[in-house]
Amino acid sequence: MTTRIIVDPLHPQPDLIAQAARTLQHGGLVAFPTETVYGLGANALDPGAVAKIFSAKGRPSHDPLIVHLSSPTDLPRVARDIPALAYTLADAFWPGPLTLVLPRQPAVPDLVTSGLETVAVRVPAHPVARALIAAAGVPVAAPSANRFGHTSPTTAEHVLHDLQGRVDVVLDGGPTTLGVESTVLDLSTTPARILRPGGVTREQLERLLGPIALFHTRTYEEKGLPSPGLLEKHYAPRAEMILFSGAGALAQMRSHLAAMQAAGRLVGVMAADEDAADFEAAGARVYRLGSSTRLEEIARNLYAAMRALDAAGVDVILCRNFGESGLGLAIRDRLTKAATRVVTG
Ligand code: TXA
Ligand code: MG
């Protein structure tokens, strides 16, 4: 049984938060909004509770979880040998969409870290998340609240679509504001490196840290290679998804659209507002992402667009890149992971 609790996103009602916090304290699962995406939370110090996250999501246990705290002062509860740099970053970006990878405290169960000697930690900015974690009084382990491999949820409806009956409580605080996940920054290596681009941009980090490397398990260019069986499918819609990059991206999208329509396929396009009319006139099912000059709009709408086009039953989704600066890097990362194919034109 899943209880949905509608809560004020800016001023969460203490009695409703207390109800959800008790569920966490008793070893239950609570999905809750963060400023990035909805998380699927459990008491991070209770291995039995954390195990439920993996079974609810169908997530393999070799994929470690982020531990959420209500305040940076709780950092020593889960991490040790904390470098001064961690506190500098915490001062600058917490609460907010930055996850730090640090040496872990032995109290953190192996299941949370997949047996790694490090732990990923962040202090989320969303009032509901902060109130929930503070009321529970425990660190909260939470991956994105979707079935494994699916698109991350940015609304409570998305969470229920994936996890109805598999989670005890869903705190519904409306749509999330950022729409893409936190930036994961590895501080356990020198120099620090970005493991996943996200809500805090590379430029913001570089202002404090100087030039910073982006760690690629598989580079963007490699994704163009014809080895789909080897690619990790992630953040993905059900439909086939093709990503277009380079100066000729829009022209390539138009010709692919025409060819696919001629082959009788139902085509969805995730388009910037500026590009939308063109694709609509061509008969595609278009989801408008927002202006390409306001990447925060594109990021906010990205996952909802994938889910909406899936629900509309399209066979294939076409989308283009939005550059590498600012949030463009995180958008490109998620689109690349979702894509079955990348076309460079
Ligand atoms: O914005 C977010 O980060 C959201 C909200 C709910 O906070 N959470 C989220 O969690 O995206 P998840 O589980 O979907 O992604 C966690 C990422 C994964 O890429 C995982 O590999 C990485 O963090 N991670 C976790 N622990 C790690 C560790 N000890 N070392 C390296 N990477 C780690
Ligand atoms: Mg996830």
Side-chain angles (χ1 to χ4, degrees):
M1 245 284 285
T2 298
T3 307
R4 177 187 197 162
I5 301 177
I6 295 174
V7 63
D8 185 319
L10 295 179
H11 304 285
Q13 297 84 336
D15 54 325
L16 301 179
I17 293 294
Q19 185 186 341
R22 278 195 298 276
T23 301
L24 287 177
Q25 288 163 343
H26 295 147
L29 295 184
V30 176
F32 60 96
T34 80
E35 70 279 25
T36 61
V37 301
Y38 273 72
L40 177 60
N43 176 356
L45 303 180
D46 175 350
V50 174
K52 291 183 192 168
I53 292 178
F54 289 92
S55 53
K57 285 195 60 144
R59 174 166 166 142
S61 58
H62 56 74
D63 200 359
L65 306 177
I66 296 173
V67 176
H68 298 69
L69 305 175
S70 63
S71 159
T73 55
D74 285 337
L75 205 45
R77 288 181 76 178
V78 295
R80 61 180 168 75
D81 302 332
I82 301 164
L85 182 57
Y87 288 105
T88 305
L89 290 163
D91 277 346
F93 299 111
W94 283 354
L98 178 68
T99 295
L100 300 178
V101 174
L102 292 164
R104 73 151 158 169
Q105 282 290 359
V108 179
D110 278 341
L111 204 47
V112 171
T113 66
S114 305
L116 294 173
E117 281 313 307
T118 54
V119 62
V121 196
R122 84 175 185 103
V123 177
H126 198 294
V128 173
R130 301 195 73 193
L132 174 69
I133 301 161
V138 293
V140 174
S144 50
N146 50 279
R147 292 300 292 267
F148 178 69
H150 287 197
T151 307
S152 293
T154 55
T155 66
E157 286 76 20
H158 296 163
V159 176
L160 290 165
H161 178 270
D162 277 23
L163 298 174
Q164 175 91 56
R166 296 174 159 264
V167 48
D168 298 302
V169 173
V170 177
L171 278 175
D172 180 352
T176 62
T177 46
L178 243 142
V180 291
E181 297 86 346
S182 62
T183 302
V184 180
L185 183 70
D186 189 355
L187 291 185
S188 72
T189 58
T190 312
R193 53 187 186 166
I194 295 173
L195 300 182
R196 179 180 71 182
V200 169
T201 66
R202 183 187 203 165
E203 293 88 337
Q204 284 177 296
L205 292 172
E206 288 188 331
R207 255 173 251 142
L208 274 179
L209 304 181
I212 180 164
L214 199 56
F215 177 79
H216 290 277
T217 38
R218 177 186 69 248
T219 68
Y220 177 61
E221 290 73 25
E222 276 170 339
K223 183 98 190 219
L225 296 176
S227 53
L230 300 174
L231 299 178
E232 188 191 348
K233 202 155 153 49
H234 232 285
Y235 308 93
R238 178 197 46 74
E240 180 190 348
M241 181 148 165
I242 308 179
L243 177 61
F244 296 81
S245 75
L250 284 171
Q252 285 278 0
M253 271 171 85
R254 279 188 220 103
S255 64
H256 275 73
L257 171 62
M260 288 173 161
Q261 286 172 326
R265 305 188 76 194
L266 193 58
V267 185
V269 175
M270 292 169 39
D273 291 351
E274 300 87 315
D275 309 332
D278 210 23
F279 291 110
E280 278 159 3
R285 168 76 74 136
V286 175
Y287 192 104
R288 292 182 180 234
L289 293 172
S291 170
S292 63
T293 60
R294 287 190 295 273
L295 292 181
E296 65 278 11
E297 288 182 5
I298 308 273
R300 188 183 303 139
N301 291 319
L302 199 67
Y303 290 136
M306 294 183 199
R307 284 184 181 255
L309 289 173
D310 258 351
V314 302
D315 302 310
V316 54
I317 299 173
L318 312 182
C319 188
R320 73 166 168 100
N321 264 327
F322 295 95
E324 285 180 43
S325 59
L327 285 173
L329 203 58
I331 294 168
R332 187 186 79 169
D333 175 78
R334 305 310 187 270
L335 288 172
T336 305
K337 284 173 177 156
T340 21
R341 192 146 64 89
V342 177
V343 174
T344 308

